[in-house]
Amino acid sequence: VETDTASNIREPSLGEAIGWAVSIYAMCVVIRFISVHLHFPILRSIGYGMSWQEAIVISWSGLRGAIGLALALLVNLDTAIDRVVRYEVLLFTSVVVILSLLVNGSTTKMFLVKLKILKANSVKQQFLLHSISEMEEYADKHCSHLMHDPLVGDPDWEKVLEMSTINANALL
């Protein structure tokens, strides 16, 4: 363990630093759960509303850290900040980003399946069916217009219409 004599900041070992970084990741997850829990009454009552299952998924899947990583890179470039502090900020942020991608990102689907969030309620199903109907009507209208456009050439219009059809049952 070295000490930077210019600022008397102790330089931690790599193992210590990674331990702190993992602890910071865990704290970020806990803080996110607390934050969503505290705001849940508001989130439940606005818009379409939020179920407790959706709140769990939002709490778990929300960390990624692109902005945090960009800010950590800016801190790392600032030579007015102590070298050890710059190193720790970049390491801690990078570990949080990597863990949130690997742990949270790879397990989010499991949460969605276990909590049965992938099933749309009747309002969402009706909205989806209406949206698909509108899109297909729009596509049919423009395809029939394009069939007479000499600049389009001579595509297989049956195949074009088949490929532009959305199977709503597969989505529900």
Side-chain angles (χ1 to χ4, degrees), residues 28-93:
C28 287
V29 171
V30 169
I31 289 167
R32 185 159 177 90
F33 268 93
I34 291 169
S35 177
V36 170
H37 176 73
L38 290 174
H39 293 93
F40 182 69
I42 297 168
L43 296 170
R44 184 178 48 203
S45 63
I46 60 174
Y48 288 111
M50 180 185 293
S51 67
W52 65 267
Q53 295 96 330
E54 292 167 331
I56 289 174
V57 171
I58 287 172
S59 298
W60 181 250
S61 64
L63 300 172
R64 293 298 174 268
I67 293 173
L69 192 55
L71 292 172
L73 289 169
L74 287 174
V75 167
N76 193 49
L77 293 174
D78 190 346
T79 55
I81 300 172
D82 185 80
R83 176 185 59 82
V84 174
V85 173
R86 288 185 287 148
Y87 161 79
E88 287 178 340
V89 167
L90 187 58
L91 177 71
F92 294 167
T93 306

Side-chain angles (χ1 to χ4, degrees), residues 138-148 157 160-161 164:
Y138 182 84
D140 289 344
K141 178 181 167 186
H142 286 283
C143 280
S144 64
H145 173 72
L146 290 173
M147 286 178 186
H148 306 294
W157 286 108
V160 169
L161 291 172
S164 66

